[in-house]
Amino acid sequence: RIEIEAGDLGEVRLADATRGSGTCQRISYDRPTPHLRLLGPGLVDVPQTLLRKSPTATGKPLEITWAGALDLDLVDVPDPKKPGKKSTQPAVHRAILTGGAKIDDPTFQLSGDTLDVLIANTTDATNPQALEHLLATGNVTVKSIRAAAKNGEPASTVLPPDGINGQRLELLTAASDDPNAKAPVPSRLLVDGDVLCVGGDDGIQF
């Protein structure tokens, strides 16, 4: 077991040339489990080069923030590029963010008191990981950022976002109809608790 605390430095800093960077107050790593806990307040930036799986991809990184803790359950997985061998680095199987959790991407924003994300490891060389299940609880907000030009508007125009607010949001996935696809695809979106659906300037409340 490895424990790293910020102490007088104020924060623990993480950095990886390809996977991104981050900060938190304390890191606990239990290899036998394996489990990684990052105590907040914390922040992780994931570069677009990793998300898009392209070394030339540009743009604002995906930003993940939390006030309480980020718990990561890790698993050993096969190396998709080397059949028959395991990857040298464990992959994230489940991530739980607590306390003011937020995921901020140039195209969407998701926030809630708690975010519980299950990741499928597909063994696909081009798409080794995919979302399997998402559960957000407590003051949940989802926004889809629309920046595309419409009706002659300049390309830089940021249009009013589409979004959903609620107290609980669950995204379910299922196997793809494509027999060659290894990654699950979204199948159902369930939202309850003071639900407000927003489209442009209008809103519908339930």
Side-chain angles (χ1 to χ4, degrees):
R1 187 182 181 93
I2 300 174
E3 302 273 354
I4 302 176
E5 293 188 6
D8 295 336
L9 297 178
E11 61 186 16
V12 178
R13 295 188 179 185
L14 310 169
D16 185 284
T18 58
R19 295 173 178 263
S21 60
T23 61
C24 65
Q25 296 303 303
R26 180 178 179 179
I27 298 175
S28 299
Y29 180 57
D30 185 12
R31 174 53 187 164
T33 313
H35 179 84
L36 180 64
R37 164 169 268 213
L38 283 68
L39 289 182
L43 176 151
V44 169
D45 283 333
V46 183
Q48 293 296 329
T49 51
L50 179 64
L51 295 174
R52 300 182 189 178
K53 300 175 181 61
S54 170
T56 60
T58 60
K60 179 184 175 182
L62 180 145
E63 184 178 276
I64 303 171
T65 56
W66 65 95
L70 168 58
D71 286 285
L72 301 172
D73 289 335
L74 309 174
V75 292
D76 291 324
V77 295
D79 189 330
K81 296 181 180 180
K82 298 178 181 179
K85 294 186 177 181
K86 287 187 176 182
S87 174
T88 57
Q89 294 182 329
V92 175
H93 175 60
R94 187 181 185 187
I96 301 177
L97 299 95
T98 56
K102 184 177 181 180
I103 299 175
D104 190 353
D105 182 80
T107 59
F108 77 93
Q109 295 175 350
L110 169 63
S111 62
D113 294 344
T114 300
L115 302 180
D116 188 341
V117 184
L118 193 63
I119 304 295
N121 293 286
T122 66
T123 70
D124 187 336
T126 59
N127 188 25
Q129 291 187 305
L131 178 66
E132 183 174 345
H133 183 264
L134 168 67
L135 177 62
T137 56
N139 303 304
V140 180
T141 299
V142 181
K143 292 182 180 180
S144 175
I145 309 302
R146 302 182 297 159
K150 283 189 176 181
N151 302 323
E153 297 171 346
S156 61
T157 300
V158 178
L159 302 174
D162 294 327
I164 301 175
N165 298 343
Q167 292 303 313
R168 183 181 184 276
L169 179 146
E170 184 174 15
L171 177 62
L172 305 174
T173 63
S176 172
D177 293 333
D178 182 352
N180 296 318
K182 297 181 179 180
V185 296
S187 61
R188 297 178 67 190
L189 179 64
L190 309 174
V191 186
D192 57 55
D194 302 321
V195 180
L196 174 65
C197 299
V198 180
D201 296 319
D202 302 320
I204 302 176
Q205 188 165 7
F206 298 91

